[in-house]
Amino acid sequence: MKPTTPYDDANPFAPLLAWIDRNFLALGRELRLAYLPPLMIYLAAGISGLTGIVGTFFVKEYLGLSAEFLAGLGFWTMLPWSLKLPLGHLVDLIWRYKAGLVFLGAGLVAASLLIMIGLLADRAALEAIAPAGTWYVASTLLAPIGYVVQDVVADAMTVEAVPRVGPDGRLLPEEEQRLMHSTMQTLGRVAIIGGTLLVALVNVAMFQGAEHLPQAEKLAIYQRIYAMALVIPAVSVGGVLLAAYLKRRTVLSLSELGYTRHEIETLTSTQPKPPQANWWILGGGLLFGLMSLSVGLSDVVLGQEIIFLLSLAIVLALMGQLMREMRADARTALLGTAVLIFVFRAMPSPGPGSSWWMIDVLGFDQSFMAKLSLIGSALSLFGLFIFRRFMAERSMPYIILVLTLAGTVLSLPTIGMYYGLHEWTAALTGGVVDARFIALVDTALESPLGQVAMVPMLAWIAHSAPAHLKATFFAVLASFTNLSLALAQLGTKYLNQLYTITREVKDPVSGIINVPADYSQLGRLLIVVTVLGLALPLASILLVRALRWRTV
């Protein structure tokens, strides 16, 4: 009798094994060594979350910054991401020297981390130069600038990582290249989420039992975590060094096959002709940077709103210039998809007040927050595999619709807990279904949805972008959609002005309470955020359909 193989119909587990192979193992088989350099930079971006929990507790315990101020600061941290368009074009212009930009970004990230290490190790020494809040703001602004510089290069490197020729030097079929681009973009999301999963494990280990430690020992843990985070710039720099090594190895291999230097350059170059400098893009980016800096430093009334409108106008104008390079059908697909993603990502959040309430009222300590982060990261990674076919086979309007409805449903448990849901369920179940149980289940259900929307768009851009403008085209959509995150921060600031949330702020020396805790308006804030998050994305889908715009 012939033995059954794992995928034979005679094997009762064949459907399950085939599903696992299609959704998990197949992606691993498609991984190539050439994909690793950009994946290392994406991994570094994922590892950046290592300091997230530490930063939340440090701000809450040691800095008297309001929820409104932190929401406003969030706007400025998102602003560098809207500069991806001119930065992307700059990368295309100096493509041979892209490694230097990664080194620059790594240096800015390292400077940000060193400031926080200094605040934790010797706060008095830094306060002799400037207030602790000023140092924190500087650190908070340096990091995103470093990450956006690296991210622009990594996006373009994903195009370079997909080989155009096989080991024998022959051009690969277009269909095979398209599949590899899709795999590359999925692996990029896997690398980012994998980095968050790794740091979640570290946080769980570092904060184990921290709730019982005296404050001085908690500070020592915070400092060690920031010191460990210095691995982030090292990983991204390692990515460009690996890329240089792989490029050299490919050149030597083709040379041994008898190809001439000119032929090797033609076969391996992802930029067959250098692009012409587009001064609309570079000049607009420079103007935007100067205007942002001047408005930010002058503390103009409505400065953030002015910067947002200015940046949106510039990015839209630059998008119009670049869309001339595309076919008519591709232009409408880009426009319709960008609008859907913009609105979906522009939804405001409750802001830091929600986290403060969970810490103060629900008793979520560092250790439990680390466990939530671990569960979220693990299930986000799992969900990326599970939804891989869903992303490939469904249209963007359908994906946005599903994610919007799911997000609305999954926001309800937090609203319920504010109004005492956890107290009722705990009494009903003998303390089993308490606030922590509800938070764990809610996180487990919500986490897989976070990375779904962007993967189809990134794969489409990677395949459709002209070879000489790959970084620029990645940056077009990124600048536009990242402005949506800046708009989300503005919306969060407005809502925190309308619904004031304060946590208890004590003088670190005297222990006197300077600001009392007040979470009385948090419930209404959570409800408004949920309603907006449902209504506006649905309206955008209807608008795109009414205008008959194509989408990815």
Side-chain angles (χ1 to χ4, degrees):
M1 180 178 177
K2 182 181 177 181
T4 62
T5 62
Y7 307 130
D8 284 340
D9 292 338
N11 188 327
F13 298 104
L16 174 63
L17 294 174
W19 179 83
I20 292 174
D21 182 80
R22 184 174 63 252
N23 290 285
F24 292 89
L25 303 182
L27 189 62
R29 288 195 298 269
E30 293 167 12
L31 175 64
R32 294 169 174 260
L33 185 61
Y35 297 169
L36 289 183
L39 291 180
M40 289 178 68
I41 301 177
Y42 285 140
L43 177 65
I47 300 174
S48 67
L50 179 61
T51 59
I53 294 175
V54 174
T56 297
F57 278 86
F58 177 78
V59 170
K60 181 181 181 297
E61 295 168 356
Y62 295 97
L63 298 178
L65 304 176
S66 68
E68 178 189 341
F69 176 85
L70 292 172
L73 181 59
F75 170 84
W76 292 110
T77 62
M78 288 311 307
L79 208 56
W81 294 95
S82 63
L83 283 170
K84 284 192 74 172
L85 181 51
L87 282 175
H89 190 55
L90 180 63
V91 169
D92 283 326
L93 292 175
I94 59 171
W95 183 241
R96 291 180 178 273
Y97 309 102
K98 60 185 179 295
L101 292 175
V102 176
F103 277 89
L104 172 62
L108 294 173
V109 172
S112 170
L113 294 170
L114 289 172
I115 289 174
M116 293 305 298
I117 292 172
L119 278 176
L120 291 164
D122 195 348
R123 177 170 175 165
L126 292 184
E127 286 187 319
I129 303 172
T134 302
W135 284 109
Y136 175 76
V137 169
S139 173
T140 303
L141 295 178
L142 280 174
I145 297 173
Y147 286 123
V148 72
V149 169
Q150 294 189 142
D151 191 68
V152 169
V153 178
D155 285 345
M157 287 175 67
T158 62
V159 181
E160 184 183 55
V162 173
R164 298 170 56 245
V165 297
D168 57 356
R170 295 184 179 181
L171 286 173
L172 297 174
E174 183 177 347
E175 186 62 32
E176 186 175 348
Q177 290 188 51
R178 183 183 296 112
L179 175 62
M180 288 190 290
H181 278 300
S182 180
T183 299
M184 177 73 251
Q185 296 306 321
T186 303
L187 287 170
R189 302 310 100 187
V190 169
I192 293 173
I193 301 172
T196 65
L197 176 60
L198 179 63
V199 301
L201 286 168
V202 172
N203 275 315
V204 168
M206 295 294 291
F207 285 122
Q208 187 67 34
E211 63 272 19
H212 305 300
L213 296 176
Q215 201 60 35
E217 293 187 31
K218 289 181 183 179
L219 268 179
I221 293 176
Y222 297 170
Q223 186 176 340
R224 285 199 295 274
I225 289 176
Y226 272 108
M228 292 169 62
L230 288 171
V231 74
I232 297 170
V235 171
S236 56
V237 167
V240 294
L241 294 178
L242 177 60
Y245 165 75
L246 293 177
K247 179 70 175 291
R248 178 174 175 78
R249 194 181 70 166
T250 301
V251 169
L252 291 175
S253 176
L254 291 175
S255 178
E256 291 174 358
L257 290 173
Y259 287 91
T260 66
R261 183 174 180 178
H262 176 71
E263 290 172 332
I264 293 173
E265 181 68 23
T266 302
L267 289 172
T268 60
S269 175
T270 55
Q271 194 181 60
K273 60 174 182 177
Q276 295 293 320
N278 188 320
W279 294 107
W280 281 96
I281 297 175
L282 296 177
L286 178 62
L287 174 64
F288 170 70
L290 292 175
M291 290 291 293
S292 300
L293 188 62
S294 61
V295 172
L297 293 177
S298 60
D299 199 22
V300 174
V301 177
L302 298 179
Q304 293 178 351
E305 289 77 6
I306 293 172
I307 290 299
F308 173 76
L309 293 175
L310 174 66
S311 58
L312 181 61
I314 292 174
V315 169
L316 288 175
L318 298 180
M319 282 181 66
Q321 288 285 322
L322 282 173
M323 286 170 67
R324 296 177 182 177
E325 300 262 354
M326 306 178 73
R327 302 186 312 272
D329 59 338
R331 283 199 297 269
T332 58
L334 176 62
L335 186 60
T337 305
V339 168
L340 290 180
I341 294 179
F342 183 92
V343 175
F344 179 72
R345 287 159 61 98
M347 294 304 95
S349 72
S354 178
S355 298
W356 297 342
W357 169 74
M358 290 179 181
I359 294 168
D360 286 345
V361 178
L362 299 184
F364 291 1
D365 51 41
Q366 294 95 329
S367 179
F368 181 71
M369 297 288 269
K371 291 183 177 69
L372 281 181
S373 176
L374 174 61
I375 291 172
S377 299
L379 291 176
S380 292
L381 187 60
F382 182 74
L384 199 58
F385 288 99
I386 294 297
F387 291 113
R388 186 184 176 204
R389 294 181 68 84
F390 170 77
M391 291 183 290
E393 297 170 358
R394 300 290 184 176
S395 67
M396 186 59 70
Y398 186 88
I399 293 173
I400 295 295
L401 174 64
V402 170
L403 294 180
T404 297
L405 295 177
T408 300
V409 171
L410 293 172
S411 66
L412 298 179
T414 302
I415 297 174
M417 285 195 293
Y418 178 82
Y419 290 103
L421 173 66
H422 58 292
E423 297 171 355
W424 177 73
T425 55
L428 198 65
T429 60
V432 175
V433 184
D434 58 3
R436 294 194 174 201
F437 182 93
I438 293 173
L440 286 170
V441 172
D442 193 47
T443 300
L445 294 173
E446 185 178 11
S447 297
L449 306 178
Q451 293 284 336
V452 172
M454 288 301 293
V455 172
M457 189 65 186
L458 292 171
W460 181 80
I461 288 289
H463 179 69
S464 303
H468 64 295
L469 291 172
K470 51 189 174 296
T472 306
F473 266 76
F474 262 109
V476 167
L477 182 70
S479 293
F480 183 63
T481 55
N482 283 323
L483 276 174
S484 68
L485 296 180
L487 180 58
Q489 289 294 336
L490 280 178
T492 301
K493 184 187 75 169
Y494 298 149
L495 291 176
N496 276 269
Q497 290 173 342
L498 187 60
Y499 303 100
T500 304
I501 312 296
T502 61
R503 89 286 195 193
E504 185 179 275
V505 178
K506 291 183 179 180
D507 185 278
V509 178
S510 64
I512 297 174
I513 297 176
N514 295 325
V515 180
D518 182 5
Y519 300 112
S520 60
Q521 299 188 58
L522 180 60
R524 281 171 285 176
L525 173 60
L526 293 172
I527 292 172
V528 170
V529 167
T530 300
V531 171
L532 291 175
L534 173 65
L536 295 181
L538 294 183
S540 72
I541 295 174
L542 295 175
L543 175 64
V544 168
R545 288 293 175 90
L547 295 175
R548 300 185 183 277
W549 286 345
R550 295 180 66 243
T551 58
V552 174

